Amino acid sequence: VGINPANLAVYNTASWNIIDFSFGLSNNYFSINNYNTLSGAHLNDDSDPNHYPQDQMLNKFGGIGLRLKQSINFPLPGLNMSKNQFAFSSKIISNLDIGLSDGIVQFFFTGNPYQEDIDLNIEEIFYLTQEIGFSYGHSFTGFSAGFTIKYLAGLFYMGMESIGNPTLTTDINGIHGIAQYMLRQDIGGGGIGLDLGILTDEFDDGFRFGLSIINLFGTIDWSQTSFLRKIVILLKEVTLLIINFCLIK
């Protein structure tokens, strides 16, 4: 199926995925180009021949600070298969998005400014989900189309976010500020997602062109009472019973 369910109508064969996975890691600043630019550069001395303006370097963060993102896509072994125009898929997906606010990054390079607010905003997210999908593709005159309807099972979620606008300020009276954060975590959620795709017939030069939309209307409700959450609650109750029994004995 890949990222376009219309492929099922074109590559009309039987397949069975034994094992594979994909891993992604990205950020909004570190790159070979930036490394080569800053290697040996002097950020403060204007007279240095290798001077690189510090403000220009900080602007490369785009005003959002430093963000690091990681993703893992792991199709479950033996549970991904297709035959003719139909396919069944099941995979585990994890996503991590963490970083430092722009104010903290500025503080590392320029120090603590006088009578200026340092932004202490925090937004960190990690979630683990399972996608179970059924796909179908069909050929029409000149093109093919397909869809995948998916159940999105929320396995685990954890996130931290700021409450209000946390800042740190230095003035004549000292260093003061207000910073409040909320930590959220949950186990067990559910939702529905839809993938749509179209694919042209092959042109004389051997090319095809396709377009797909992934997870249309896809959301996970973490507040519902799911099967996974019931299992976790049951395990907690059993654990407490065992502990109480051991203490009484």
Side-chain angles (χ1 to χ4, degrees):
V1 178
I3 60 173
N4 192 336
N7 288 330
L8 289 170
V10 177
Y11 306 102
N12 200 337
T13 58
S15 66
W16 184 33
N17 186 304
I18 302 300
I19 186 170
D20 77 280
F21 74 96
S22 62
F23 174 84
L25 184 64
S26 64
N27 73 93
N28 66 323
Y29 183 78
F30 296 107
S31 66
I32 295 178
N33 182 51
N34 284 343
Y35 172 81
N36 292 333
T37 300
L38 296 174
S39 180
H42 200 296
L43 301 178
N44 297 318
D45 188 0
D46 297 349
S47 62
D48 191 282
N50 294 322
H51 173 65
Y52 189 86
Q54 191 175 75
D55 291 341
Q56 186 174 342
M57 181 199 69
L58 293 175
N59 288 337
K60 290 181 176 293
F61 288 95
I64 62 173
L66 177 64
R67 303 302 304 177
L68 301 175
K69 297 183 179 182
Q70 171 266 323
S71 64
I72 296 177
N73 190 322
F74 179 58
L76 294 177
L79 293 180
N80 292 267
M81 59 200 75
S82 66
K83 183 174 178 59
N84 299 329
Q85 298 169 287
F86 300 91
F88 174 82
S89 58
S90 179
K91 58 185 177 181
I92 300 292
I93 299 174
S94 74
N95 285 276
L96 177 69
D97 186 352
I98 60 175
L100 300 174
S101 69
D102 187 61
I104 296 177
V105 172
Q106 299 278 346
F107 172 77
F108 284 153
F109 288 97
T110 63
N112 195 7
Y114 183 69
Q115 290 188 335
E116 292 185 17
D117 292 338
I118 298 178
D119 177 25
L120 299 179
N121 182 62
I122 289 179
E123 185 177 2
E124 324 293 349
I125 298 175
F126 170 77
Y127 60 90
L128 183 69
T129 62
Q130 180 181 5
E131 292 186 0
I132 303 173
F134 171 79
S135 305
Y136 173 74
H138 189 79
S139 294
F140 300 91
T141 303
F143 72 98
S144 299
F147 71 88
T148 300
I149 184 168
K150 300 184 289 187
Y151 174 70
L152 308 177
L155 303 180
F156 179 77
Y157 167 85
M158 176 175 286
M160 177 180 287
E161 59 187 51
S162 304
I163 300 176
N165 185 27
T167 59
L168 183 69
T169 308
T170 301
D171 57 23
I172 193 172
N173 297 315
I175 301 175
H176 55 88
I178 299 176
Q180 294 180 314
Y181 304 98
M182 179 181 295
L183 180 64
R184 300 175 182 267
Q185 66 175 15
D186 214 332
I187 296 176
I192 299 295
L194 179 66
D195 298 349
L196 299 175
I198 59 174
L199 189 67
T200 66
D201 287 348
E202 187 173 308
F203 294 99
D204 294 337
D205 53 8
F207 284 97
R208 298 179 187 269
F209 294 94
L211 175 67
S212 62
I213 302 176
I214 305 300
N215 277 339
L216 183 64
F217 312 120
T219 58
I220 295 179
D221 182 7
W222 293 91
S223 64
Q224 61 181 275
T225 302
S226 66
F227 176 72
L228 180 61
R229 181 176 297 179
K230 291 179 180 179
I231 293 178
V232 173
I233 294 174
L234 179 61
L235 291 176
K236 287 183 178 179
E237 292 176 349
V238 172
T239 303
L240 290 175
L241 288 175
I242 295 175
I243 294 175
N244 291 333
F245 176 78
C246 293
L247 291 176
I248 294 174
K249 188 174 181 181

